[in-house]
Amino acid sequence: MLGRTTFQKGLQKYVKDMAFKVAEPKDFYRNIQEAADEDNSLPRDVNVEDVINSWIDQPGYPLLTVMRNYDSNEIVVNQQRFLSSRGEVDNERITWYIPLSINTARNPDMNNTMPRAWLKQGTRELVIRTEENLTWTSDDWVLFNVQQTGYYRVNYDLHNWKLLANDLYGEYPCNIGTINRAQLIDDSFSLAYSDNIQFTVALDIIKYVKFEREYSVWVTANRHLLSMDRKLQGDSYELYFGRFLQHLTDGHFERLDVFEDNLRDCTSNTFLRPIIVHLACRSGSGKCLTATRIMVTAEALTGHVLAPRERPSVYYCHGLKNADENTFQYFWKKLKSLTNDQERKNLVHSIGCYHNSDSVYSLLLETVDLNATDVFYTNYERHSILWNIIRNGDVKVVMRFLRENHNTIARTYTYNFRMENNLKEIADCLPEEYHQEYTEILEMLAAEGHISRSLMERCIIDMENHRIWVNENKIKIENWIAGYFQPKLENSGMEITVSTLVVLIAIGHIFFPIY
């Protein structure tokens, strides 16, 4: 907003002016304002105190909607409160002082974060036109909130989203900086979940991560890909989203490998590897699942730990998904014998990934066995095992466990905030075929006094919201993915898919045989 130099000058003024005195917010505002006036860092009609108060005295944060007129080359920027949930309404019509930093394909200066314009409190809309140092054409993308220095989300018209997606998917590294690449992913998915844009727009943005090597960007991409991965599980997963996820991670998996290389690994690769392995294995990648299975099997046979030191639970989890019973028993026994908290944590967060439901159920029964003498699970460990099964294992096992052991669970796990989170985690992505059964379990827990009726109702609402989300978005997402993988041929301005072309050729041979 002010620039580092001006802000530091204001801080120095403030410290010197208020040394050994009782300071109030107005003293801070006054000194920052003096520095801004000296450096001409703010427009004359923008006051530091007003700017700060617009952010600290109001709830929420803004959403900027950027709509371009491609004929007149003007940009219309609108502000409103960002609402993340369905049905929320901004009755107060809150506005802020928002500094608008702007970048364009013709002026891709990612280091210049100074505002080009201000959207002032009380003003909902602003028109921006080209100027000497800020130009664009209808073929150029524009990007707001450079380096994400402002605390707001940005939505664009569909064509500008497409221009941004094309630049991201072009030659890597692209003209858009690291922080803004993460911002575009986060904004697009957050806007999709809040019904501001279609999920196909967000997928169009994130598809470029097959080239992305920055860990900081992958942290954001990982969060949204995992969320969609859980929501889109089902019979068609492998054909569509699983295939797409594997496509995004295949090249990175080949480059990083599942085993760490201490001689060649940079810090970024060390932290990036478990993200890629987790996504690749969740996608059903045979290479990933085989490599992790070999890793855990080798440890069970030799006792030698092969899992990388950074997030080893990822490798144990996916390795156990296809391991044999002897390997599972080895790690279960190892968990019970460990005394090192971190080593126990690694297995607690992975042991429930094992594919055999009966064995996992036996593990859960052990966590509520008050008479067990050879093992002790802390409350945190119990809930972590349960959470891991919900996230990475078989949720049906958890539902059976809750139904058949709810009273014992009350004495061991206790229905505390961790259990509330686990119950909501189940509801958040539960397939519709299990809704009735889970509703009955929740009603039983509420009737027994284990959980509140408000929690029960919240979980039921979450299940319904998930059902609605799947019905509204799954087919659209799968169609987009099908189109993404469908190669197209251009001929005389017409696009004909390869599969259609093959059918036409076959028909031609039937009716017009060549002898």
Side-chain angles (χ1 to χ4, degrees), residues 105-333:
R106 287 179 177 255
N107 310 98
D109 182 5
M110 290 293 162
N111 294 317
N112 184 4
T113 60
M114 292 300 292
R116 300 280 190 165
W118 280 81
L119 194 52
K120 299 169 187 173
Q121 189 172 31
T123 303
R124 301 195 72 86
E125 192 171 279
L126 177 70
V127 178
I128 299 175
R129 299 175 177 86
T130 59
E131 55 188 60
E132 183 179 355
N133 296 319
L134 185 67
T135 60
W136 60 84
T137 69
S138 59
D139 295 325
D140 299 324
W141 51 260
V142 298
L143 177 76
F144 279 65
N145 203 5
V146 180
Q147 298 283 41
Q148 206 168 7
T149 51
Y151 194 75
Y152 54 87
R153 297 197 183 279
V154 186
N155 190 9
Y156 302 95
D157 60 79
L158 286 176
H159 185 61
N160 196 72
W161 276 118
K162 189 67 179 177
L163 292 172
L164 289 165
N166 290 343
D167 192 82
L168 289 170
Y169 202 73
E171 184 177 352
Y172 183 85
C174 62
N175 292 318
I176 300 172
T178 302
I179 294 175
N180 282 116
R181 297 201 298 274
Q183 174 205 14
L184 287 170
I185 292 171
D186 192 47
D187 279 357
S188 61
F189 275 90
S190 298
L191 290 166
Y193 279 115
S194 58
D195 291 335
N196 284 285
I197 61 175
Q198 294 289 319
F199 276 94
T200 53
V201 176
L203 290 170
D204 207 30
I205 290 291
I206 206 171
K207 70 178 188 285
Y208 95 93
V209 296
K210 62 181 291 187
F211 309 116
E212 181 61 70
R213 294 196 173 198
E214 290 291 337
Y215 167 74
S216 57
V217 179
W218 267 105
V219 169
T220 301
N222 177 57
R223 177 159 50 88
H224 291 296
L225 288 170
L226 284 178
S227 176
M228 291 200 76
D229 180 84
R230 294 191 66 229
K231 288 180 176 295
L232 294 170
Q233 290 290 330
D235 295 338
S236 60
Y237 172 83
E238 185 176 344
L239 183 61
Y240 293 102
F241 193 76
R243 182 186 179 193
F244 179 63
L245 190 56
Q246 187 171 334
H247 170 74
L248 297 183
T249 55
D250 254 353
H252 298 292
F253 184 83
E254 292 288 347
R255 177 174 62 88
L256 294 170
D257 198 4
V258 71
F259 300 101
E260 65 182 341
D261 186 338
N262 293 324
L263 296 178
R264 293 186 300 172
D265 262 359
C266 61
T267 303
S268 178
N269 284 350
T270 299
F271 289 107
L272 179 57
R273 180 180 287 105
I275 290 178
I276 297 300
V277 169
H278 188 43
L279 291 173
C281 283
R282 282 194 69 95
S283 75
S285 166
K287 291 179 290 187
C288 183
L289 291 170
T290 300
T292 51
R293 177 173 57 81
I294 291 172
M295 180 180 286
V296 298
T297 302
E299 180 174 339
L301 291 173
T302 66
H304 181 64
V305 177
L306 297 175
R309 290 164 295 177
E310 180 62 28
R311 293 180 62 194
S313 58
V314 168
Y315 307 88
Y316 288 135
C317 173
H318 293 293
L320 285 168
K321 283 183 177 179
N322 293 291
D324 59 24
E325 183 67 22
N326 289 334
T327 301
F328 171 74
Q329 291 295 334
Y330 166 83
F331 283 102
W332 189 1
K333 183 178 179 180

Side-chain angles (χ1 to χ4, degrees), residues 371-388:
N371 299 317
T373 58
D374 62 334
V375 63
F376 173 77
Y377 295 102
T378 66
N379 190 263
Y380 168 80
E381 289 175 339
R382 291 188 182 101
H383 284 285
S384 295
I385 290 172
L386 195 65
W387 181 89
N388 183 254

Side-chain angles (χ1 to χ4, degrees), residues 49-71:
E49 183 173 359
D50 293 338
V51 172
I52 295 177
N53 286 339
S54 77
W55 288 89
I56 65 176
D57 290 343
Q58 301 182 127
Y61 58 91
L63 164 65
L64 291 191
T65 302
V66 177
M67 302 298 292
R68 298 175 59 182
N69 185 322
Y70 292 91
D71 294 325

